[in-house]
Amino acid sequence: MSKQPNILYLMLDQLAPQVLGAYGGQVCQTPAINDLAANGVVFENGYCNYPICAPARYAFMSGRLPSRMGSIDNASEFPSEQPTFAHYLRDLGYHTCLAGKMHFIGADQLHGFEDRVTTDVYPSDFMWTTDWSLDPTVWEPWYHSMHSVKSAGPAPRSVNTEFDFETATEANRWLHDHTERDGRPFFLAVSFISPHDPYVAPPSAWQRYDGIEIDSPVVGDIPMAERDPHSARLHHTIGRSMMDVTPDEVQNMRRAYYAVMSWIDDRINSLLATLEELGLRDNTIIALGADHGDMLGERGLFYKMSFFEYSSRVPMIINAPDRFKPRRVQQNTSLIDFFPTFLEWANGGSLPLMYSPLDGHSLNGLLVGKSRDWDNVVYSEYNAEGTQWPLLMIRRDGFKYVYGEEDPPQLFDLTTDPNELKNLAGTADHRSTEDALHRELLSTWDPQALRAQVLESQQ
C-alpha cells in the first residue's frame, strides 16, 4: 500500500450488529458484509456515543462526546467551527466526499467534505426539539410510533430505499469521476439510511426470506412493573402505550429489517465491484459502522434511545487484508475512535497537529494485536426524548454502568449476563465496582451542569 491509502467508509443507520453473521446472527443474509468481516478486523464491543442519529454522527465526525460541542438531541446544530476528520483529511491532501445521510443540523451541510453528491434525507432545522417540561407520558407527533412495526413488510418503493439507491448510484459515479480526473487519495463516506424504520423492504429482498424461520427477540417483553424507569418511559415515547403489537407483527418487522439489510448488502457489493473495476481495491481501506443499533423488540422495546446492547452497540469492521490481518478484537471501542484512526492512516501512522480536543483514541494498535496500552472504556450519553435528566453510560472492561440523577443506577456484568437481566447496582458483592464507576462518571460529566445546559438549549 502507498503511504496514503484511499478510505471508503460505509455507514448504516440503526443497525444492531447482533443480526449480522459476523456478530453471531443466524438469519440475516449479508454476504458482502460477511466477507468484509471474515477478511478484516471485527471489533466485537463497539458502541455509539449517543443512541440517536444526529449526536452520534457528530461524535463520529468530531472524535468528541456530543455534549462537549453543545450537541443535545436531534435538533442541535453541529458547530461549523468544530474541526472534523474531513477538514484534517483535506489538509492532508485527500479528496473527501459524502454520499447519503449525515443528519447535519444547521446551514453547514458539508463540515469539511469537499463534495456532497446527494442531499440529506432528514430535515436540517430544529423541529425535533425535545421538551423536558412535558410529562414523560406525553407523546409528540414527531416521535416514533408502533405504526412502523405494525405496517412492516414489502413495498415496491419507500423513502429509505429510494434514497439509498441514489446514494449508492452517486457514490459509484463519483468513484469513476474521481479516478478519471483526480490523482489525490480519497475519503468517500457512503451513508445509507437503511435499515432505519420504516421497516419496508423491496419485494425481491422480502422474498429471499420465504420459508425461512425468523427469530424472535432473545429477551421477550418485560412487564411494566418489572421495567427500569427509563424503559417504562420509553413505553410512552415509542407509542406502545397507544398501540400494542403482536408477536407475529414483531417477527414480520424483523423479517423486513433483515430483507432491507440484504438489499443494502447488494448496494455495498456494487461499491466493492467498482473498486475492483477501477483497480482501487488493493490501496483502499474499507471501514464499516453504524450510528447506533435497534432494539428490534428486545425487552418489548423498539428503535433506540437506551443503553441496552441492541440499542447502544454498533458494528465496527475494518478491512484491508494487505495491511491488517483478520482478527477479532474484544476491547471496548466506540465511534469517536474512528477519527484519530483515519488521520493516522492518512498521515503515515501519526496524528497531525490537532486544533481541537479529542476524546477518541486510535484503533491502529488494536488492529495489529497490540492492546497493552488500551484504556478499555467507552462513554455514551443521552439527553433527548424519553427522559427528563441526563442519562450517562460507562462500559469499562466487562461492566456497564448507567446513571441518571433521578433513576436508580444500573450495573451489569456483561461477561456473565450478556442479556442484562440482573442489575447488580446496590449489591454488596459489587459495591467497590459501582463506586469506582460512579466516581469515573462524575469525573467525565457534571450531571447537574449538563442538565442546565440541556434545558437552556431546549428553551
Side-chain angles (χ1 to χ4, degrees):
M1 283 192 174
S2 69
K3 182 179 180 181
Q4 288 186 300
N6 303 312
I7 304 169
L8 172 63
Y9 183 73
L10 303 168
M11 192 170 201
L12 289 302
D13 194 323
Q14 206 162 295
L15 174 58
Q18 294 90 337
V19 309
L20 299 175
Y23 291 88
Q26 300 294 313
V27 182
C28 188
Q29 302 168 19
T30 55
I33 295 175
N34 290 351
D35 185 67
L36 288 174
N39 296 287
V41 180
V42 177
F43 293 85
E44 296 195 358
N45 293 299
Y47 287 85
C48 69
N49 304 104
Y50 196 122
I52 63 170
C53 295
R57 291 162 182 269
Y58 299 174
F60 162 69
M61 290 291 302
S62 68
R64 303 183 70 188
L65 293 176
S67 62
R68 294 181 179 173
M69 299 174 288
S71 178
I72 301 305
D73 54 23
N74 271 345
S76 293
E77 187 169 5
F78 188 21
S80 292
E81 66 181 5
Q82 173 62 51
T84 70
F85 62 74
H87 289 110
Y88 285 100
L89 289 172
R90 287 183 72 178
D91 197 44
L92 291 168
Y94 274 70
H95 191 174
T96 58
C97 177
L98 169 60
K101 172 183 173 178
M102 202 54 80
H103 207 161
F104 295 142
I105 303 299
D108 188 350
Q109 291 295 303
L110 291 175
H111 288 281
F113 285 106
E114 183 174 347
D115 297 336
R116 185 163 190 179
V117 293
T118 69
T119 63
D120 214 309
V121 69
Y122 273 1
S124 60
D125 60 13
F126 306 112
M127 65 181 293
W128 291 342
T129 298
T130 307
D131 186 354
W132 283 0
S133 71
L134 298 176
D135 187 275
T137 62
V138 171
W139 180 85
E140 292 272 67
W142 56 268
Y143 288 1
H144 288 78
S145 78
M146 289 295 97
H147 177 74
S148 62
V149 176
K150 296 178 77 69
S151 63
R157 298 181 68 186
S158 76
V159 170
N160 288 11
T161 54
E162 289 279 302
F163 180 78
D164 286 340
F165 184 83
E166 179 187 7
T167 294
T169 299
E170 291 301 313
N172 277 307
R173 179 194 60 77
W174 186 88
L175 283 170
H176 280 275
D177 289 348
H178 170 82
T179 302
E180 292 172 3
R181 304 173 186 173
D182 196 323
R184 290 176 290 171
F186 68 78
F187 180 98
L188 172 61
V190 184
S191 184
F192 301 105
I193 189 174
S194 298
H196 191 291
D197 59 286
Y199 306 107
V200 179
S204 60
W206 176 265
Q207 290 165 6
R208 294 187 204 181
Y209 291 85
D210 283 349
I212 295 177
E213 183 178 355
I214 304 299
D215 53 341
S216 298
V218 177
V219 179
D221 207 342
I222 294 178
M224 285 291 288
E226 299 174 19
R227 293 189 182 193
D228 65 276
H230 184 56
S231 294
R233 293 191 297 266
L234 289 179
H235 185 80
H236 301 280
T237 306
I238 65 175
R240 279 206 67 186
S241 57
M242 302 181 298
M243 186 187 306
D244 209 351
V245 293
T246 68
D248 286 344
E249 288 171 331
V250 173
Q251 284 199 309
N252 202 55
M253 175 269 290
R254 290 166 75 98
R255 175 177 176 174
Y257 187 89
Y258 297 160
V260 80
M261 269 309 302
S262 294
W263 184 83
I264 284 294
D265 193 73
D266 292 342
R267 312 280 81 73
I268 290 173
N269 194 52
S270 76
L271 290 161
L272 302 180
T274 297
L275 291 179
E276 291 284 359
E277 178 186 349
L278 296 175
L280 300 170
R281 181 65 183 90
D282 289 344
N283 194 41
T284 300
I285 301 175
I286 299 169
L288 182 144
D291 52 358
H292 49 74
D294 189 319
M295 288 300 292
L296 294 173
E298 296 287 334
R299 315 175 77 93
L301 298 175
F302 298 87
Y303 317 116
K304 53 271 188 176
M305 301 176 284
S306 84
F307 293 125
F308 289 117
E309 291 286 274
Y310 269 77
S311 169
S312 63
R313 271 187 53 201
V314 294
M316 292 177 66
I317 299 169
I318 293 174
N319 179 285
D322 292 342
R323 179 176 292 211
F324 308 121
K325 294 180 180 178
R327 69 178 72 246
R328 300 185 74 88
V329 175
Q330 299 290 328
Q331 280 74 19
N332 303 322
T333 57
S334 68
L335 291 178
I336 57 176
D337 299 325
F338 275 121
F339 183 116
T341 308
F342 293 156
L343 296 195
E344 287 188 358
W345 292 344
N347 197 49
S350 62
L351 287 176
L353 178 63
M354 303 304 293
Y355 297 96
S356 179
L358 270 184
D359 296 317
H361 301 279
S362 172
L363 301 168
N364 280 304
L366 297 179
L367 284 167
V368 295
K370 298 178 181 178
S371 59
R372 179 175 298 177
D373 297 327
W374 185 257
D375 190 13
N376 199 26
V377 63
V378 296
Y379 304 106
S380 191
E381 55 191 39
Y382 184 76
N383 301 297
E385 59 269 21
T387 183
Q388 293 174 305
W389 42 83
L391 300 179
L392 308 167
M393 185 273 275
I394 293 179
R395 175 165 180 184
R396 178 170 286 284
D397 300 325
F399 287 95
K400 179 192 288 185
Y401 179 64
V402 180
Y403 174 80
E405 281 188 284
E406 299 184 34
D407 288 347
Q410 294 175 285
L411 177 67
F412 299 105
D413 183 352
L414 297 177
T415 58
T416 59
D417 179 26
N419 295 321
E420 301 167 291
L421 295 173
K422 187 176 182 180
N423 182 10
L424 302 174
T427 62
D429 289 347
H430 294 88
R431 188 174 306 281
S432 61
T433 298
E434 182 181 354
D435 288 348
L437 290 171
H438 187 70
R439 289 193 299 272
E440 182 173 5
L441 184 141
L442 294 181
S443 70
T444 305
W445 294 279
D446 180 338
Q448 293 182 353
L450 180 54
R451 188 176 192 176
Q453 176 188 354
V454 172
L455 291 172
E456 180 182 359
S457 174
Q458 292 176 1
Q459 293 163 7

